[in-house]
Amino acid sequence: MKNLVYYFTGTGNSLAVAKRLASAWGDCELVSIADAVHNGRYRIEADTVGFVFPLYYVNLPRIVQRFIEQAEFAGSPYIYAIVTKGFPVVGGALGHLGQICRAKGRTLSFASYVLMPNNDIVYCSVPDEKRARKLIDSANAKINRLFPLIARRARRIDPEPLGFIRKARQDFFLGHLKTSWKSFYANGQCTGCGLCVRSCPVKNISMAGGKPVWGPLCEECEGCLHLCPVAAAQHGKSTQGKRRYWHPDAPKGPLN
């Protein structure tokens, strides 16, 4: 039996969940969706296939949706998904992912949300360390409860009471991405270390004149904002002075 877990992550939340699942399987390959897209690896051959990613604007991240839409599934694998999110109740990704799978002649059998520390500092704020640790511990405990269900190929999809707003939020997000990248910049604190360049999952950041420059391929994972060692990376005026967040178990470097 071959087990695959695909993941996309911004600040390590989804990576931490993906690693926990892979460890529970034992015999499992962990695959970065960003790397798979970059290398054109869309064929999926496995008995179980898991997708782990963060909730973006009540939906899938754009890169995750495009990858799954183009994926070529061999056979009839058991497909499941774990979606990390920063706020309770909201969510429409599971229903949409199920639709994508059905359009490909496949079935999303199991899908659940896991509440983790919010990392959106463009519109919100991140929790303090104590609150973040509590959320992470709770998320780990939930994964430990969910895995036995996944291992025995259970069929269950979390309810999404606010799923009806997904389409409107998705349309807003896709329109937002067309111009949002223009608001990223590095302030005078920037040391030119290039860590943001090396860590961007979609290779959207380059160096010019000793400072990072953002391009139009941004997925707005906000990893660059949180990873910058001197908090020089900013998005307009909304992120100035805000606390940064990085999953405590994730390496301070490229995650995808």
Side-chain angles (χ1 to χ4, degrees):
M1 175 182 287
K2 184 175 183 181
N3 305 300
L4 292 176
V5 174
Y6 285 85
Y7 74 92
F8 178 72
T9 194
T11 59
N13 283 342
S14 293
L15 175 59
V17 170
K19 283 185 173 181
R20 183 166 287 267
L21 288 170
S23 177
W25 279 117
D27 179 18
C28 181
E29 181 181 356
L30 200 59
V31 183
S32 160
I33 289 176
D35 282 349
V37 170
H38 181 70
N39 294 312
R41 294 174 52 198
Y42 289 96
R43 184 165 177 79
I44 299 176
E45 297 184 63
D47 295 298
T48 71
V49 180
F51 293 105
V52 183
F53 54 86
L55 185 71
Y56 278 16
Y57 290 76
V58 199
N59 195 42
L60 290 74
R62 179 178 59 180
I63 188 173
V64 174
Q65 178 174 331
R66 288 179 175 176
F67 172 76
I68 299 174
E69 286 175 340
Q70 296 181 56
E72 301 174 6
F73 292 92
S76 300
Y78 174 77
I79 302 174
Y80 65 95
I82 302 294
V83 181
T84 60
K85 64 178 184 177
F87 298 96
V89 184
V90 296
L94 308 186
H96 190 203
L97 179 56
Q99 292 174 11
I100 295 171
C101 289
R102 286 194 295 274
K104 301 180 71 64
R106 299 294 184 269
T107 299
L108 176 65
S109 296
F110 187 95
S112 184
Y113 287 105
V114 174
L115 189 65
M116 297 195 79
N118 174 59
N119 64 1
D120 179 10
I121 59 172
V122 172
Y123 292 108
C124 308
S125 297
V126 304
D128 60 32
E129 290 184 14
K130 183 177 180 180
R131 173 61 177 163
R133 186 70 259 178
K134 184 176 181 179
L135 287 167
I136 290 170
D137 290 344
S138 178
N140 289 342
K142 183 170 184 178
I143 295 301
N144 292 343
R145 294 194 303 271
L146 293 179
F147 179 74
L149 301 175
I150 295 170
R152 67 171 183 258
R153 302 194 175 203
R155 294 180 177 274
R156 193 191 83 184
I157 309 291
D158 280 2
E160 296 179 311
L162 295 181
F164 66 91
I165 68 173
R166 179 199 61 79
K167 182 63 168 61
R169 293 295 289 163
Q170 180 188 28
D171 290 345
F172 170 81
F173 177 52
L174 294 178
H176 170 75
L177 283 180
K178 294 178 181 179
T179 57
S180 176
W181 61 274
K182 298 178 181 179
S183 296
F184 284 93
Y185 68 97
N187 65 24
Q189 302 287 358
C190 179
T191 63
C193 71
L195 185 57
C196 55
V197 176
R198 298 190 298 274
S199 301
C200 179
V202 292
K203 305 184 187 309
N204 183 59
I205 308 174
S206 58
M207 295 295 289
K211 284 195 173 186
V213 176
W214 282 257
L217 301 179
C218 181
E219 293 287 335
E220 206 170 283
C221 72
E222 299 187 28
C224 54
L225 300 177
H226 295 275
L227 184 59
C228 180
V230 293
Q234 304 287 344
H235 186 276
K237 297 180 179 180
S238 63
T239 59
Q240 296 177 25
K242 285 186 177 179
R243 180 193 302 274
R244 266 52 173 171
Y245 167 80
W246 199 256
H247 193 285
D249 298 329
K252 287 292 185 75
L255 301 182
N256 286 279

